[in-house]
């Protein structure tokens, strides 16, 4: 729908606009990836958290993604919410971890 709204001149915010990821730590042990961090609301208004996507990749590209549903949890201005996940079955050769806000 974002493309439709842009076509008719309505502004569309990117997923995670005014939200920041910080204090991110990741650790790979065997085939289990532990990821933790904080989502902060840097905006002046309450935000609804749809979700994040945690991905692993290597030099050849993305290997696997795990969508994490945050169930529309509300985050107040200047508030931070911590998260911690244990992700199973990490593909062999995973070298990089990225986290982004889900669309």
């Amino acid at each position: 729908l974002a493309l439709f709204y842009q076509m008719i001149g309505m502004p569309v915010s990117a997923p995670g606009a005014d939200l920041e990821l910080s204090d991110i730590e990741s650790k790979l042990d065997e085939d289990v990836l532990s990821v933790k961090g904080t989502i902060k609301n840097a905006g002046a208004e309450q935000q609804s958290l749809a979700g994040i996507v945690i991905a692993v990749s290597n030099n050849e590209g993305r290997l696997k993604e795990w969508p994490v549903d945050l169930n529309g949890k509300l985050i107040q201005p200047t508030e931070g919410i911590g998260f911690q996940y244990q992700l199973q079955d990490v593909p062999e050769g995973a070298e990089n971890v990225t986290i982004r806000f889900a669309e």
Side-chain angles (χ1 to χ4, degrees), residues 8-68:
I8 62 172
M10 295 180 70
V12 177
S13 297
D18 292 329
L19 296 175
E20 300 173 350
L21 293 165
S22 65
D23 305 320
I24 303 297
E25 294 180 27
S26 63
K27 180 181 176 186
L28 182 60
D29 187 19
E30 300 287 324
D31 66 345
V32 177
L33 176 64
S34 300
V35 179
K36 67 179 182 177
T38 304
I39 300 171
K40 295 183 180 178
N41 182 353
E45 296 184 17
Q46 175 178 278
Q47 298 281 327
S48 175
L49 300 176
I52 57 175
V53 177
I54 301 170
V56 293
S57 63
N58 61 19
N59 291 338
E60 296 175 13
R62 184 163 289 149
L63 298 173
K64 187 171 182 176
E65 292 186 340
W66 293 267
V68 178

